[in-house]
Structure formats: structure tokens, C-alpha cells
């Protein structure tokens, strides 16, 4: 009795169609993945490099029931003008004060303590945003 073979010997006649398709899909996936990572990198760089004014809230202090102080460090281009928005929060997380502070000094780094009026006792001060221009 002879054994009947229905399939060709494996690896004897080159790659199968499935292997070629898998290779193409891997190449296409690699190219699209690299393009996606490059796009995310570009967006991140553009976001960081595109900001003319940035700030950091160094510390805050609740002075009284109607006032809080915040120590801000602002970094900006020498010729840029801008403003930062601070808000004071109560114990339950509600907003009890909000103020905008302009920074138009002709230096690249401004270290300043600002005072924020509140409607009731605040427990925290939060830096909301900094924007360039008026």
C-alpha cells in the first residue's frame, strides 16, 4: 500500500501565499506605526515649543478668610507679554476666587508672589492657565 500525499512538500517550492501576505501586512503595520509615533512626537514638540508663556505654582499660602497668596515662577520669551489665571478652591472643591495676573516684564523668568481675593476661606490655590498676549 502506498501512502497518498495530497499537499506539496513544505518549503520545497517557495513561500506560500499566506506567508507573502503576512510579510506585507507586517511591513505596512510597521510603516503606519512609525508614522503614528512620529505624528505624536511632532504634536508634543509643537505643543511645548509653541508656548510663549509657561508658569509653575511653587507654593501657596492661605493668609486669611478673604485672601490667599501664590508664589509663581513664569518663563516666557523676553519680548512676550502674557497673563496667568489662578483660582482658589474651598475644602469641598468649589471655586471661591479667581484672578488674572499680567506678566509683561522684559525678562525671560519672573519670580513673583501674587495675592488673590476670595469670597470665603480657601484651602488650595490652583494655576489654571497661562496664555501669551493681552
Amino acid at each position: 500500500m502506498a501512502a497518498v500525499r495530497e499537499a506539496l512538500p513544505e518549503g520545497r517550492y517557495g513561500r506560500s501565499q499566506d506567508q507573502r501576505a503576512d510579510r506585507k501586512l507586517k511591513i505596512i503595520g510597521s510603516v503606519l506605526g512609525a508614522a503614528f509615533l512620529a505624528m505624536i512626537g511632532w504634536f508634543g514638540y509643537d505643543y511645548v515649543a509653541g508656548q510663549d508663556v509657561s508658569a509653575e505654582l511653587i507654593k501657596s499660602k492661605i493668609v486669611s478668610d478673604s485672601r490667599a497668596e501664590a508664589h509663581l515662577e513664569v518663563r516666557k520669551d523676553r519680548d512676550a507679554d502674557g497673563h496667568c489665571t489662578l483660582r482658589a478652591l474651598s475644602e469641598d472643591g468649589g471655586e471661591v476666587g479667581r484672578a488674572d495676573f499680567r506678566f509683561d516684564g522684559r525678562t525671560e523668568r519672573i519670580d513673583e508672589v501674587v495675592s488673590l481675593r476670595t469670597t470665603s476661606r480657601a484651602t488650595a490655590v490652583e494655576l489654571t492657565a497661562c496664555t501669551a498676549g493681552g
Side-chain angles (χ1 to χ4, degrees), residues 1 4 6 11-13 23 25 32-33 44 49 54 56-57 59-60 69 79 85 88 94 107 112 125 127-128 133:
M1 287 199 144
V4 178
E6 294 188 21
R12 188 169 183 181
Y13 299 103
R23 185 167 189 262
L25 285 174
L32 289 176
S54 65
E56 183 179 355
L57 179 64
K59 64 181 179 177
S60 63
E69 289 182 349
D79 298 328
T85 304
T107 60
E112 190 171 325
V125 177
L127 175 62
T128 306

Side-chain angles (χ1 to χ4, degrees), residues 12-52:
R12 188 169 183 181
Y13 299 103
R15 294 183 175 176
S16 70
Q17 291 288 2
D18 289 340
Q19 288 174 330
R20 279 192 284 267
D22 286 347
R23 185 167 189 262
K24 286 181 184 177
L25 285 174
K26 287 178 185 177
I27 291 171
I28 290 171
S30 299
V31 169
L32 289 176
F36 180 72
L37 287 175
M39 182 182 70
I40 295 297
W42 174 258
F43 288 156
Y45 172 77
D46 187 51
Y47 176 76
V48 171
Q51 288 187 336
D52 292 332

Side-chain angles (χ1 to χ4, degrees), residues 99-117:
D100 289 332
F101 299 97
R102 288 195 53 79
F103 299 101
D104 53 2
R106 298 296 168 218
T107 60
E108 292 180 355
R109 185 177 168 275
I110 299 172
D111 215 6
E112 190 171 325
V113 175
V114 294
S115 182
L116 177 67
R117 287 184 26 203

